[in-house]
Amino acid sequence: MNLEEIKKSAIEAIESATIKEALNEIKTHYLGRNGLLTGELKSLKEMTMEMRRDAGPKIQELYAEIEKKIEAKLQLFSGSSRKTDYTAPGKKFQYGHIHPLSQVMEDSAKIFRGLNFSVISGPELEAEYYNFDALNIPANHPAREMWDTFWIKGEGKNSKSNYLLRTHTSPVQVRYMEKNSAPFQIVVPGRVFRYEAVDMSHEVNFYQLEGLMVGENVTLANFKYVVEQFLKEFFATMDKKIEFRFRPSYFPFVEPGVEVDIKLKGKWLEIMGAGMVHRRVFEAVHYNPDEVQGFAFGVGVDRLAMIKYGVPDIRLFYSGDLRFLKQFKSS
Ligand code: DAH
């Protein structure tokens, strides 16, 4: 046998070995005292100096290679003298799937992209300034009571601002406008936090989708069209036409403010807050409120998911209970 043949047969043997004992035999057969490669090494003695110089390193290299391959495979069997039963039936691979809340956010983002909105994100750990002050909710303003806040201890190094877990996705409005100029239209899906007692419709964290459209002539009528398109597409699978209404409401960062309800089984359910961006918010980001206007909205993602999938309790989304989650496997 020449070296190539030895190499080929050795590798084949190693690869097809299924138990430790077989590998030990292979080792003896090729590398043992009377092994094939050992024989080749011994035959070097009978060669001329020149031949030896050529063949020696090649044999040694192959010796090392085979040894390494055997050792590597032996590792697989180490720690247990049990022989692997290759005929045992395999374990079924468990595929994961997307969480219903992620699905709702993806679906929503897709619909808004179709309406020419860009999808933006912002930080969950937020400065008080962005979460409140810049949104026309100064310290000590009673409106702060609307958001039960998780405050973060300690202060930022370079900032006078206190930190908190954002109570809504609205701060991203401010962050976006600080860096971009109008006209634009964005949506911001993301997680928000509230220091609240948990019950079937409240969680300490949940998801929102913020929207903001600003330009010279953007009105509440444009908002009405956008909501209608969104709801139509989002609930398309529910085959009934979705009825919705605007109800006057108050949020410090909009004027006028509204709440949007949809009608389900004869009952009106609130799904989002919205309104025309307050001029103080524009002033905070150095926009001229006499030149631009726009609408903003914040949808409760969990609420949308509960309605669409008929989920009675928000806590189910966060329970990690696979019996619940698996129901969404093909959605
Ligand atoms: N940020 C509000 C909340 O979490 C929801 C909201 C209301 C967002 C009105 C808006 C808006 O953009 O215009 O309660």
Side-chain angles (χ1 to χ4, degrees), residues 23 36 51 85 93 102 114 143 162 183 185 195 223 225 244 289 293 298 308 318 329:
L23 285 164
L36 276 178
M51 283 166 78
D85 179 0
F93 195 80
S102 305
N162 295 314
Q185 50 274 351
Y195 182 48
F223 175 59
Y225 173 80
F244 70 100
Q293 53 185 29
K308 187 165 179 173
Y318 303 91
K329 198 145 184 166

Side-chain angles (χ1 to χ4, degrees), residues 147 168 170 173 194 208 210 251 253-254 273-275 296-298:
W147 296 274
H168 48 181
S170 306
Q173 291 186 24
R194 299 272 171 96
Q208 289 187 335
E210 191 81 12
F251 298 97
F253 31 91
V254 282
F297 59 93

Side-chain angles (χ1 to χ4, degrees), residues 192-205:
V192 302
F193 305 81
R194 299 272 171 96
Y195 182 48
E196 271 179 351
V198 170
D199 63 27
M200 65 187 291
S201 41
H202 297 88
E203 255 294 354
V204 289
N205 69 185

Side-chain angles (χ1 to χ4, degrees), residues 135 146-147 167-171 173 192 194 206 208-212 250-254 256-259 270 272-277 295-299:
L135 288 167
M146 292 167 74
W147 296 274
T167 59
H168 48 181
T169 42
S170 306
Q173 291 186 24
V192 302
R194 299 272 171 96
F206 54 99
Q208 289 187 335
L209 184 120
E210 191 81 12
L212 179 64
Y250 171 73
F251 298 97
F253 31 91
V254 282
V258 298
E259 254 157 329
E270 181 199 326
M272 68 175 95
M276 294 302 290
V277 179
F295 63 76
F297 59 93
V299 198

